[in-house]
Structures are given as C-alpha cells and as structure tokens.
Amino acid sequence: MKQRHGARPHEARAHRQLQPADVHNRGSGATPLHILSAYSSPGSTPSPQPETVAAAWSKRRVLLLNATYEPLTALPARRAIVLLVCDKADTVHHNPEGPVVHSAGESVTLPSVIRLRNYVRVPYRARVPMTRAALMHRDRYRCAYCGGKAETIDHVIPRSRGGAHSWENCVASCAPCNHRKADKLLSELGWTLGHPLVSPQGPHWRLLSTTSDLDPVWLQYLGEGAA
C-alpha cells in the first residue's frame, strides 16, 4: 500500500506532462497546423530558427472582412488559417512573404486580408469607443497644437478643471506641448485648434480603436478615414 501511495504523485506528474499536440484546435474541425518558416520554399536558403519563427507567427494579424467587404477585426494568424482551411473564408490579398504553414494535405501562405464566405450580422453600436490607438489615427499622429509628431494624449479642457475623457475633449499631442500646456486652458495660452474635435464614424474605426500596428495593405479596405 505504501508503494502504491508513493507512486501516485509520480504517475500524476507523468500524466500532466502528456498534453495533446494540438489542444488549442480541439473542436475546430481543422487539421493540425505547423509552421514551416517565415519565407520557406523548396531549395531556398536555410530557414530561421523555430523560436524566431514562432515569435513572428504569434504577432501576426490578418484583416478579416465580412462577405460584404466590411472590415470586422484583426485576427490572430492561427485563427485566420483555420478559417481558410475549413473553407469558411477566402483570401482577398495574398502576402508572398508571409509565414508558410502546412497540414497533412496542403500548405498555406498566411495572407494579409481574408473575407468570410457567409455574411455575419454585426450588432449596431452608435459610438466608436475612444482609445489611444483610435485617437492617434484620427489626428494622424500629429500634435493638435504645433503639428509635430504626436507622442501623448492631452485633454483640451484639463480633467482637473472638469474636462471629460471623450472624443470632443482629447487630442494627440507632442510631449513638449503637453508639458507646456499642463492644466491650463487654450484661452490662457492663446492657442487654437485647427479643426473641430469629433467622434469618427464608420465601421473601420472599431478596428482602428483596437489595433495600433496596421499592415499598410489594409488601408485600401478600411476607407478614407484610415489612410
């Protein structure tokens, strides 16, 4: 009996170590996928180290369009490949330099943009959430006060003086202007804004509000506000 009790912790540890090779894909209906390399092809130069490829793979995002070409979201690379392999989406914009993955029966190069085959109804939401990424896109990464490169976000009416954290009271700002303005009003400094502060409109702004790094290829699918 003592030997049996003593063996159980070792057995439990052994069982915990035997995880399925494709546990994350369970129930998806997709064949297990494996990364070949970032730029692999038969007869090509040696591939990058697996750790480097895996790190690049985990950071990749693919733009997902609705069946109507309306931008929906930026998908993780694995999810995008699963949609393609399961015939739920089609490639819209190929990326010849994208990572190559393969299953038992085929190899797929990760695209930049894919489109759902069936239309998905998106719940209507009137107001785009304000995030740092979306605000920077709205102001085109330019300081609202001097026109230089924006690095921070500033409240036009300082919060200490009752200003709201909203589209109508926030601007992109460079660090020097933000520091100089501090908790003052624009009228106290003699500063003016070159354009009115408004909440952006359009479905692509929901994507911009959650994504700071955009693939330049995506811009043609996101509308004029993203360019």
Side-chain angles (χ1 to χ4, degrees):
M1 292 296 291
K2 291 183 179 180
Q3 290 181 347
R4 292 183 62 186
H5 284 301
R8 284 181 181 177
H10 175 73
E11 293 174 357
R13 285 195 298 271
H15 284 300
R16 283 197 295 270
Q17 293 172 357
L18 298 176
Q19 294 294 334
D22 195 44
V23 65
H24 297 295
N25 276 346
R26 247 185 226 175
S28 66
T31 306
L33 303 173
H34 306 280
I35 306 170
L36 286 176
S37 72
Y39 310 102
S40 63
S41 61
S44 63
T45 55
S47 302
Q49 294 298 319
E51 295 80 4
T52 303
V53 175
W57 166 262
S58 65
K59 295 179 181 179
R60 292 273 183 163
R61 291 292 182 270
V62 178
L63 177 63
L64 176 65
L65 306 177
N66 211 334
T68 56
Y69 286 87
E70 173 189 349
L72 294 177
T73 188
L75 288 176
R78 177 178 288 275
R79 179 57 181 161
I81 291 294
V82 169
L83 289 177
L84 291 173
V85 172
C86 293
D87 294 326
K88 294 183 179 180
D90 296 313
T91 296
V92 175
H93 192 97
H94 294 274
N95 180 11
E97 296 185 348
V100 179
V101 298
H102 73 95
S103 63
E106 61 181 312
S107 295
V108 180
T109 301
L110 183 68
S112 298
V113 184
I114 63 175
R115 181 175 71 97
L116 291 175
R117 291 188 173 184
N118 297 318
Y119 175 77
V120 173
R121 184 177 178 276
V122 180
Y124 175 75
R125 289 173 291 180
R127 190 171 177 86
V128 177
M130 197 201 76
T131 64
R132 177 188 174 86
L135 184 66
M136 287 294 183
H137 282 297
R138 185 197 70 175
D139 293 353
R140 301 183 183 278
Y141 291 87
R142 293 295 179 185
C143 176
Y145 305 126
C146 71
K149 183 180 179 180
E151 304 160 335
T152 64
I153 292 177
D154 183 62
H155 295 83
V156 179
I157 300 176
R159 303 197 75 174
S160 62
R161 302 177 70 163
H165 185 69
S166 66
W167 285 109
E168 294 77 12
N169 190 51
C170 290
V171 294
S173 171
C174 66
C177 284
N178 198 334
H179 179 73
R180 182 181 175 190
K181 181 176 175 293
D183 61 348
K184 299 180 179 65
L185 300 175
L186 296 185
S187 58
E188 297 172 353
L189 295 168
W191 293 4
T192 58
L193 294 175
H195 55 82
L197 306 182
V198 296
S199 173
Q201 302 294 325
H204 61 276
W205 280 101
R206 301 197 178 280
L207 173 62
L208 295 177
S209 67
T210 59
T211 307
S212 57
D213 297 325
L214 293 180
D215 185 330
V217 172
W218 297 1
L219 298 179
Q220 58 188 298
Y221 305 100
L222 298 183
E224 295 181 358

